[in-house]
Amino acid sequence: MVQELPRRTNFSGPALIRLLARLSNTDVLESGQSIADRLGLWLGWTDAIALAGVLNGPALAVPSETGSADKAVEAECARERAALQEAIIGVNRPVSARHRGQRAVAVQRDVRIPAPVEFATYRRRYSLLQERMATSITGLRSRLRTALACRDAKMIRLVGVDAAMEQALSPREDALLAGVPALLEGHFQRLQQAAQIAPADGDHVPQQSAAQVPNAWLDIFEKDMQSVLLAELDIRLQALEGLLAALQDCQPRTL
């Protein structure tokens, strides 16, 4: 039976960081800096000027129209979030139509030997989902800002801050998240190597289950990959959820 590799982390930060630390068997230390100090490292002087202009600039006029399409925007956000979650959950399914259908087996002395599995397929799937998340969330974020701009001067200022922060932080965020597949590749390789060694150590493994042993590690990896994608989605959705909360606060409450 394939065993999961040892995992450890003492870090209490975002789920994505904790997952990656656990999968890579790495200890991550808590930063001694405040959030403001760490955020400052990501902002250049041009970003600081843009933010200062938004925060210290004169209040803008509120458009005459109210956000009549608020509910539609909220529903669109909910639908797209559900669609992204569904795509992540199904990224490695159905088995028969994807990688396992491509892993043809050779019959030799009545023993089924799986063909080699490459990480490249998983890297492509992960990268494509990252692109889909980025495109979808960027569009929804823009539509939410449009809806909020129809409210009041305070919301217009919030919209300006969010737009400036997106422009300043998105390139850095994208660069960091682009490195996630490489970390997953290391986990993939460690599981694969452990599975290759395990049968040699276990002559007691029944012959009828020998064909199942080489593939068990891949099931573990696919579940881990799914968990990492869901954790990344949560991080990407944080700014969107903040705008949604602001929009909901603007809506009249009925008794």
Side-chain angles (χ1 to χ4, degrees), residues 8-27:
R8 59 193 172 91
T9 179
N10 299 320
F11 184 66
S12 59
L16 177 61
I17 306 301
R18 287 186 278 114
L19 268 171
L20 292 174
R22 183 164 56 88
L23 296 179
S24 60
N25 197 28
T26 302
D27 281 332

Side-chain angles (χ1 to χ4, degrees), residues 53-66 145-162 246 250:
V54 172
L55 293 171
N56 301 323
L60 300 176
V62 180
S64 58
E65 295 183 4
T66 60
R145 286 199 294 260
T146 299
L148 280 167
C150 295
R151 289 301 176 175
D152 54 35
K154 184 173 65 174
M155 290 298 104
I156 292 176
R157 184 158 288 170
L158 173 63
V159 165
V161 170
D162 182 72
C250 292

